[in-house]
Amino acid sequence: MTKETPIISVKNLSKIYQTEGIETIALDNVSFKINKGEFVAIMGPSGSGKSTLMHILGALDKSTTGEYILGGTNIEKLDEEELSDIRNQKIGFIFQAFNLLPRTTTLKNVMLPMLYAGIEKKEAEKTATKYLTMVGLENRLNHTSNQISGGQQQRVAIARSLVMNPDLLLADEPTGNIASAQAEEIMNIFTKLNKEGHTIVMITHEPDIALHAKRIIHIKDGKLV
């Protein structure tokens, strides 16, 4: 992949849900590109289609029509096993609900994607410790995730998203479940990661959070505005 090749290329993407014979258009002919090293916020009100778009960008769902190319790979053409590999190795996810295992230590939570990919336990432990230290949690390695604050849980999730050195960090409402002071800390981490060259796409409905990104894509009623 050359520097000029976009990390994300979305072309004429539509997603239509069928429920009891009724069609709902969640995404309507959406096209955009995101280059390596960009920090982009996707903004829109509830029901705008941004969650549907996030699921497609995260290879968690496929579009009805159109094309999604991630780092030169046409995601629409992959089977379930290949999609699973893409999710584990090419995309780092940060969710609003953190998605940590509650009675598991922060260290083990961060090691999980590496163990899933067959990386040796000792190596995984070393990498997990490095990223937890990077997000300021070196003194919380053996705390379980239900023993730490929401802001700290989100930092664990960020550390976990980085361990496979993904092409793309995908953050879905990353500050939605934490206090505003902690939200600012989380956004500072994203800004730092972006300065280090990480490509970040963040879904948010909060204008002050979106302002941390370098570019904002607005979506309404399934269309880009």
Side-chain angles (χ1 to χ4, degrees):
M1 192 170 62
T2 67
K3 183 93 172 75
E4 287 71 38
T5 309
I7 283 267
I8 287 175
S9 175
V10 166
K11 201 171 174 187
N12 307 124
L13 213 62
S14 293
K15 180 70 178 178
I16 299 163
Y17 293 105
Q18 299 264 7
T19 321
E20 295 171 2
I22 297 165
E23 281 194 350
T24 306
I25 300 171
L27 285 178
D28 190 0
N29 207 27
V30 168
S31 299
F32 61 86
K33 287 178 179 171
I34 294 173
N35 292 316
K36 188 170 166 51
E38 278 203 271
F39 184 0
V40 176
I42 296 175
M43 268 203 87
S46 186
S48 60
K50 64 183 188 300
S51 294
T52 301
L53 181 57
M54 143 81 196
H55 280 102
I56 292 170
L57 294 180
L60 296 159
D61 196 3
K62 287 188 177 182
S63 64
T64 309
T65 57
E67 184 181 76
Y68 169 33
I69 293 175
L70 173 66
T73 302
N74 191 335
I75 299 298
E76 305 293 323
K77 292 196 162 81
L78 303 183
D79 63 27
E80 212 27 72
E81 197 176 322
E82 292 166 322
L83 287 172
S84 180
D85 286 343
I86 289 274
R87 288 192 294 268
N88 187 47
Q89 293 168 26
K90 301 277 185 199
I91 305 169
F93 291 97
I94 301 124
F95 295 100
Q96 179 175 351
F98 321 129
N99 289 20
L100 302 174
L101 298 176
R103 288 177 295 281
T104 304
T105 65
T106 64
L107 186 64
K108 284 204 175 122
N109 265 295
V110 176
M111 284 167 67
L112 276 175
M114 294 180 281
L115 299 177
Y116 178 71
I119 291 167
E120 193 191 13
K121 191 179 171 197
K122 210 169 183 179
E123 183 63 30
E125 205 168 286
K126 190 177 153 191
T127 304
T129 303
K130 176 181 119 176
Y131 283 109
L132 280 163
T133 302
M134 195 201 84
V135 296
L137 292 176
E138 61 277 11
N139 57 352
R140 294 279 189 277
L141 300 184
N142 296 311
H143 286 62
T144 59
S145 59
N146 53 4
Q147 292 175 323
I148 57 176
S149 72
Q152 288 172 329
Q153 287 184 59
Q154 195 57 295
R155 283 195 261 163
V156 173
I158 291 171
R160 182 186 56 190
S161 76
L162 292 164
V163 294
M164 296 299 292
N165 194 24
D167 293 345
L168 171 67
L169 292 178
L170 198 51
D172 185 17
E173 301 281 2
T175 58
N177 267 352
I178 53 182
S180 52
Q182 293 178 319
E184 200 54 40
E185 286 171 18
I186 294 299
M187 294 319 299
N188 288 340
I189 293 173
F190 282 137
T191 302
K192 181 173 176 282
L193 288 170
N194 180 240
K195 278 185 181 148
E196 288 167 5
H198 289 278
T199 309
I200 303 171
V201 175
M202 173 177 69
I203 311 283
T204 184
H205 68 279
E206 300 177 74
D208 56 328
I209 294 298
L211 286 174
H212 288 83
K214 290 178 180 167
R215 174 158 72 107
I216 301 175
I217 293 173
H218 290 273
I219 187 165
K220 191 182 177 191
D221 301 328
K223 294 176 188 280
L224 297 193
V225 288

